[in-house]
Amino acid sequence: MTEWAPVITIDGPTASGKGTVAHRVATALGFGVLDSGALYRLTALSVLRNHIDPEDAQAVARIAESLQVVFHAQGILLEGQEVSEDIRQEQVGNLASHIAPNPSLRAALLARQRAFRIMPGLVADGRDMGTVVFEDASLKIFLVADVEARAQRRCKQLIEKGISANLADLLRDMRERDARDINRAVAPLVAAPDAYTVDSSNLTIEQTVQSILDLWSAVGSQ
Ligand code: C5P
C-alpha cells in the first residue's frame, strides 16, 4: 500500500531553506524525508570521482542507476564512504545542476525517489517533486526567497561548516544555477499549478515551518 502514503512536496530554488524546513516539517508530523538534490549531488560526486565525461548522458545515467547509497540519521554513505560534507561543496552542486537536465539521468533517479514514499508519510524536497515525481502529492509548497537572502544563508552555512565561501561568488553561482534550473527543457524549476507559494525572505525557519504545518492542517491532511 506504499503508493497511498501522503506526500508533502517542497520545491524551490537553491538555498531557499528547503532542506531544513523539510526536515522540521517531517519531524513534526513523524514523516520520512527525501532530499532529492542529494541524489543529483551524489551522482555528480561519482561522476567526478570516476572521471566520467559529464556530457556523456548515458554514462552519467548508468552511474546514477548503480549508485550504492545509504541514507542514515547522521549522514550519507556512497559506496560505503561518508560523503555528506563532500556533496555540499559548491563544485559538486554546480556539476549537479549541469548534469540535471539529462533526461536519462532523471529517469534513472525516478524509481529511487518514489521508493521513499512509505507510511506514515513523506516530505520530499527538490525542484520537480510536485510537478513530476509526486504529482499526486497531498500538499505542494513552492518555497522562494530573494537571491541575496539565499546567498547570505548559504555563505553562513558553509562558513559554519568550515568550508571557505565568498558572497559575491556564491551570488553569481546561485543566479547561474537558478537560470539553468528554470530554463531547462526537462522538469524545469516551476511551481506546480496546485502549489502554495511561501516566500521565506522575511520569515524565520520556525515561521516558515509553521506556515507549512498550518497549510497541512487546513488542506493537506484531508
Ligand atoms: O537542492 P540542491 O541544491 O541540493 O540540488 C542540486 C542540483 O540538483 C540543483 O541545482 C538542480 O539542478 C538539481 N536537482 C534537480 N531536481 C531535483 C533536485 C535537485 O534537478 N529534484
Side-chain angles (χ1 to χ4, degrees):
M1 299 303 276
T2 53
E3 65 268 34
W4 300 117
V7 182
I8 299 176
T9 59
I10 306 181
D11 289 307
T14 193
S16 58
K18 300 183 302 291
T20 310
V21 168
H23 273 91
R24 296 210 189 177
V25 170
T27 302
L29 299 172
F31 286 9
V33 188
L34 165 63
D35 169 6
S36 63
L39 291 171
Y40 288 88
R41 288 171 181 267
L42 285 160
T43 308
L45 184 63
S46 218
V47 161
L48 284 170
R49 290 191 172 168
N50 292 290
H51 308 290
I52 304 291
D53 175 4
E55 306 302 326
D56 185 342
Q58 295 313 317
V60 172
R62 276 197 299 276
I63 283 273
E65 260 159 26
S66 62
L67 283 180
Q68 300 286 329
V69 185
V70 179
F71 289 91
H72 61 102
Q74 278 77 41
I76 306 173
L77 298 177
L78 174 63
E79 324 295 345
Q81 207 192 338
E82 184 53 58
V83 292
S84 358
E85 289 193 1
D86 297 348
I87 63 164
R88 295 291 144 208
Q89 302 277 351
E90 288 305 295
Q91 181 202 11
V92 177
N94 281 330
L95 182 60
S97 103
H98 270 287
I99 58 175
N102 171 355
S104 310
L105 163 62
R106 305 199 73 86
L109 291 178
L110 205 52
R112 220 183 251 272
Q113 295 174 88
R114 288 184 174 152
F116 279 78
R117 185 176 197 169
I118 53 170
M119 294 302 268
L122 178 69
V123 182
D125 85 72
R127 305 293 185 290
D128 61 342
M129 297 296 96
T131 50
V132 177
V133 182
F134 301 109
E135 244 191 300
D136 62 339
S138 319
L139 175 64
K140 300 181 183 180
I141 304 293
F142 196 66
L143 187 60
V144 297
D146 57 52
V147 70
E148 281 84 7
R150 290 187 282 127
Q152 271 163 7
R153 279 182 205 161
R154 175 60 59 88
C155 197
K156 197 164 156 253
Q157 266 172 9
L158 289 170
I159 289 167
E160 276 166 8
K161 286 183 185 160
I163 301 171
S164 67
N166 171 290
L167 188 60
D169 291 347
L170 280 173
L171 201 52
R172 188 201 55 227
D173 285 355
M174 212 164 266
R175 287 199 168 107
E176 284 174 12
R177 197 185 306 180
D178 284 350
R180 274 198 299 275
D181 288 346
I182 291 166
N183 296 318
R184 70 186 177 211
V186 183
L189 171 64
V190 62
D194 49 349
Y196 292 85
T197 295
V198 174
D199 186 338
S200 74
S201 309
N202 298 309
L203 298 181
T204 62
I205 290 171
E206 290 72 21
Q207 288 168 328
T208 310
V209 169
Q210 195 53 53
S211 67
I212 296 174
L213 290 173
D214 290 347
L215 281 166
W216 176 250
S217 304
V219 297
S221 58
Q222 314 299 310

Coordinates of all heavy atoms in Angstrom, one line a residue, residues 11 14-15 18 35-38 40-41 88 93 96-98 100 106 113 125-129 154 177 181 184 187, ligand 1:
D11 N 9.3 22.4 -3.3 CA 10.2 22.7 -4.4 C 10.6 24.1 -4.2 O 9.9 25.0 -3.6 CB 9.5 22.4 -5.7 CG 9.3 21.0 -6.0 OD1 10.3 20.2 -5.9 OD2 8.2 20.5 -6.3
T14 N 17.7 27.0 -5.3 CA 18.8 26.6 -4.4 C 18.9 27.5 -3.2 O 18.6 28.7 -3.3 CB 20.1 26.6 -5.3 OG1 21.1 25.9 -4.5 CG2 20.6 28.0 -5.6
A15 N 19.1 26.9 -2.1 CA 19.3 27.6 -0.8 C 18.1 28.4 -0.3 O 18.2 29.4 0.4 CB 20.6 28.5 -0.8
K18 N 14.9 24.9 1.8 CA 14.0 23.7 1.6 C 14.4 22.5 2.5 O 13.6 21.9 3.2 CB 14.1 23.1 0.2 CG 13.6 24.0 -0.9 CD 13.7 23.4 -2.2 CE 15.0 22.8 -2.6 NZ 16.1 23.8 -2.9
D35 N 15.6 14.1 0.4 CA 16.4 15.2 -0.1 C 16.8 14.8 -1.5 O 17.9 14.2 -1.7 CB 17.6 15.4 0.8 CG 18.6 16.4 0.2 OD1 18.4 17.0 -0.8 OD2 19.7 16.6 0.8
S36 N 16.0 15.2 -2.5 CA 16.2 14.7 -3.9 C 17.5 15.3 -4.5 O 18.2 14.7 -5.3 CB 15.0 14.9 -4.8 OG 14.8 16.3 -4.9
G37 N 17.8 16.5 -4.0 CA 19.0 17.2 -4.5 C 20.2 16.4 -4.2 O 21.2 16.4 -4.9
A38 N 20.2 15.7 -3.0 CA 21.3 14.8 -2.6 C 21.6 13.8 -3.7 O 22.8 13.4 -3.9 CB 21.1 14.2 -1.3
Y40 N 21.1 14.0 -6.9 CA 21.8 14.6 -8.1 C 23.3 15.0 -7.7 O 24.2 14.8 -8.5 CB 21.1 15.9 -8.5 CG 19.8 15.5 -9.2 CD1 18.6 15.3 -8.5 CD2 19.7 15.3 -10.6 CE1 17.4 14.9 -9.1 CE2 18.6 14.9 -11.2 CZ 17.4 14.7 -10.5 OH 16.3 14.2 -11.1
R41 N 23.5 15.4 -6.4 CA 24.8 15.7 -6.0 C 25.7 14.4 -5.8 O 26.8 14.4 -6.2 CB 24.7 16.4 -4.6 CG 24.2 17.8 -4.6 CD 24.0 18.4 -3.3 NE 23.5 19.7 -3.3 CZ 24.3 20.8 -3.2 NH1 25.6 20.7 -3.1 NH2 23.7 22.0 -3.3
R88 N 28.2 18.6 -0.4 CA 27.8 20.0 -0.1 C 28.7 21.1 -0.8 O 28.4 22.3 -0.7 CB 27.6 20.3 1.4 CG 26.5 19.6 2.0 CD 25.1 20.0 1.6 NE 24.3 18.8 1.5 CZ 23.2 18.7 0.7 NH1 22.9 19.6 -0.1 NH2 22.5 17.6 0.7
G93 N 27.7 20.9 -6.2 CA 26.3 21.4 -6.5 C 26.2 22.0 -7.9 O 25.2 21.8 -8.6
A96 N 26.1 19.1 -10.3 CA 24.8 18.5 -10.2 C 23.8 19.3 -11.1 O 23.0 18.7 -11.9 CB 24.3 18.5 -8.8
S97 N 23.9 20.6 -11.1 CA 22.9 21.4 -11.9 C 23.3 21.3 -13.3 O 22.4 21.5 -14.2 CB 22.8 22.8 -11.3 OG 23.5 23.7 -12.1
H98 N 24.5 21.1 -13.7 CA 24.9 20.9 -15.1 C 24.4 19.6 -15.7 O 24.0 19.5 -16.8 CB 26.4 20.9 -15.2 CG 27.0 22.3 -15.5 ND1 26.8 23.0 -16.7 CD2 27.6 23.2 -14.6 CE1 27.3 24.2 -16.5 NE2 27.8 24.3 -15.3
A100 N 21.8 17.8 -14.4 CA 20.4 17.6 -14.1 C 19.5 17.6 -15.3 O 18.4 17.0 -15.2 CB 20.0 18.6 -13.0
R106 N 17.5 11.7 -15.2 CA 16.3 12.0 -14.4 C 15.4 10.7 -14.3 O 14.9 10.4 -13.3 CB 15.5 13.2 -14.9 CG 16.3 14.4 -15.0 CD 15.4 15.7 -15.1 NE 14.8 16.0 -13.9 CZ 15.4 16.7 -12.9 NH1 16.6 17.2 -13.1 NH2 14.7 16.9 -11.8
Q113 N 13.6 7.7 -6.1 CA 12.9 8.7 -5.3 C 11.6 8.2 -4.9 O 11.2 8.4 -3.7 CB 12.8 10.0 -6.2 CG 14.1 10.6 -6.5 CD 14.0 11.8 -7.5 OE1 13.8 12.9 -7.1 NE2 14.1 11.5 -8.8
D125 N 11.9 17.2 -0.9 CA 12.2 18.5 -1.3 C 13.1 18.4 -2.6 O 13.8 17.4 -2.8 CB 12.9 19.3 -0.2 CG 14.4 19.1 0.0 OD1 15.2 19.5 -0.9 OD2 14.7 18.5 1.0
G126 N 13.0 19.4 -3.4 CA 13.8 19.4 -4.7 C 13.3 20.5 -5.6 O 13.0 21.6 -5.2
R127 N 13.3 20.1 -6.9 CA 12.8 21.1 -8.0 C 11.6 20.6 -8.7 O 10.8 21.4 -9.1 CB 13.9 21.2 -9.0 CG 15.3 21.6 -8.6 CD 15.3 23.1 -8.0 NE 16.6 23.5 -7.6 CZ 17.3 23.0 -6.6 NH1 16.8 22.1 -5.8 NH2 18.5 23.5 -6.3
D128 N 11.4 19.3 -8.8 CA 10.3 18.7 -9.6 C 9.5 17.7 -8.7 O 8.9 16.8 -9.3 CB 10.8 18.0 -10.8 CG 11.8 16.9 -10.5 OD1 12.3 16.8 -9.3 OD2 12.0 16.0 -11.4
M129 N 9.5 17.9 -7.4 CA 8.8 16.9 -6.6 C 7.3 17.0 -6.8 O 6.6 16.0 -7.0 CB 9.1 17.2 -5.1 CG 10.5 17.0 -4.7 SD 11.1 15.3 -4.9 CE 11.9 15.4 -6.5
R154 N 23.5 30.7 2.5 CA 24.4 29.7 2.1 C 25.8 30.0 2.5 O 26.6 29.1 3.0 CB 24.3 29.5 0.5 CG 25.3 28.6 -0.1 CD 25.2 27.1 0.4 NE 23.9 26.5 0.1 CZ 23.6 25.8 -1.0 NH1 24.4 25.8 -2.0 NH2 22.4 25.2 -1.0
R177 N 22.8 29.1 -11.4 CA 22.2 27.8 -11.2 C 20.7 27.9 -11.3 O 20.0 27.1 -11.9 CB 22.6 27.3 -9.8 CG 22.3 25.8 -9.7 CD 22.6 25.2 -8.4 NE 23.9 25.5 -7.9 CZ 24.3 25.0 -6.7 NH1 23.5 24.3 -5.9 NH2 25.5 25.3 -6.3
D181 N 18.3 25.9 -13.8 CA 17.1 25.0 -13.3 C 15.8 25.5 -13.9 O 14.9 24.7 -14.2 CB 17.1 25.1 -11.8 CG 18.2 24.3 -11.1 OD1 18.9 23.5 -11.9 OD2 18.5 24.4 -9.9
R184 N 15.7 24.9 -18.2 CA 15.9 23.6 -18.8 C 14.6 23.0 -19.4 O 13.5 23.3 -18.8 CB 16.6 22.6 -17.9 CG 15.7 22.1 -16.8 CD 16.5 21.3 -15.8 NE 15.7 20.9 -14.7 CZ 16.1 20.7 -13.5 NH1 17.4 20.8 -13.2 NH2 15.3 20.3 -12.5
A187 N 11.7 18.8 -16.8 CA 11.5 19.1 -15.3 C 12.1 20.4 -14.8 O 12.8 20.4 -13.9 CB 12.0 17.9 -14.5
Ligands
C5P1 O1 18.8 21.1 -4.0 P1 20.3 21.0 -4.3 O2 20.9 22.4 -4.4 O3 21.0 20.1 -3.4 O4 20.3 20.4 -5.8 C1 21.5 20.4 -6.6 C2 21.1 20.4 -8.0 O5 20.4 19.2 -8.4 C3 20.1 21.6 -8.4 O6 20.7 22.8 -8.7 C4 19.3 21.0 -9.5 O7 19.9 21.3 -10.7 C5 19.4 19.5 -9.3 N1 18.1 19.0 -8.8 C6 17.1 18.7 -9.7 N2 15.9 18.1 -9.3 C7 15.7 17.9 -8.0 C8 16.7 18.2 -7.1 C9 17.8 18.8 -7.5 O8 17.3 18.9 -10.9 N3 14.5 17.3 -7.7

